[in-house]
Amino acid sequence: MAASKTERTARRVYTVLVADDDEQVRSLVWEILAFEGFRVLPARNGHEALEVLGRHGDGIDLLLADVVMPRLGGREMAQRAVQLLPHLRVLFMSGYGDSADFQADFPDSAVLDKPFRAEQLVEAVKAALKKRG
């Protein structure tokens, strides 16, 4: 049964900051998540992601960050982001299979291995949003 207009408008819209230096990946992730009803804020690199965090602050629910980016990688950028916004949930993306290294620094986070299917992305984002609240 389809949701009524009241039910659809009452549903919380989560905001996801997507930081990835690959424009195609960033655009595809944006399209998938926007289609699923998420508000998506794109960032081309770690520095830009921190600027977006500074502008939007508490309005961001999840940081979806590529691990390897030039100048400021995902791990260091996420550490800075969580210092600014302790409530921020983090989900990493990586094509390098280095997920075990994150458990010490980010025990509540997960790593989504690239390449991934749309369903895997959406499932990982929803799971990350459920953690810590």
Side-chain angles (χ1 to χ4, degrees):
M1 181 178 214
S4 71
K5 183 176 180 182
T6 305
E7 289 171 326
R8 284 192 307 262
T9 57
R11 192 171 36 176
R12 185 179 187 308
V13 175
Y14 289 97
T15 301
V16 180
L17 171 55
V18 177
D20 196 307
D21 60 310
D22 184 317
E23 184 177 348
Q24 289 181 323
V25 171
R26 200 173 54 248
S27 294
L28 182 61
V29 168
W30 181 88
E31 284 182 40
I32 293 166
L33 294 180
F35 179 80
E36 291 292 325
F38 293 97
R39 179 175 177 231
V40 183
L41 303 173
R44 293 175 293 195
N45 56 57
H47 291 292
E48 190 172 288
L50 292 175
E51 290 173 11
V52 172
L53 277 169
R55 286 194 307 271
H56 295 277
D58 288 335
I60 298 173
D61 301 294
L62 176 68
L63 170 61
L64 176 56
D66 188 17
V67 173
V68 178
M69 292 185 284
R71 296 181 37 215
L72 182 61
R75 180 184 302 211
E76 184 181 348
M77 181 264 300
Q79 288 171 332
R80 292 183 191 181
V82 171
Q83 286 176 347
L84 293 170
L85 298 170
H87 78 279
L88 188 65
R89 296 169 194 103
V90 178
L91 174 62
F92 291 102
M93 298 181 281
S94 178
Y96 296 98
D98 48 7
S99 59
D101 295 340
F102 291 90
Q103 289 309 112
D105 294 335
F106 299 95
D108 291 328
S109 70
V111 178
L112 180 61
D113 292 321
K114 293 179 182 179
F116 48 79
R117 294 186 324 275
E119 299 82 22
Q120 291 172 304
L121 171 65
V122 173
E123 184 178 303
V125 166
K126 288 179 179 180
L129 287 167
K130 287 181 184 177
K131 291 184 178 182
R132 290 194 288 154

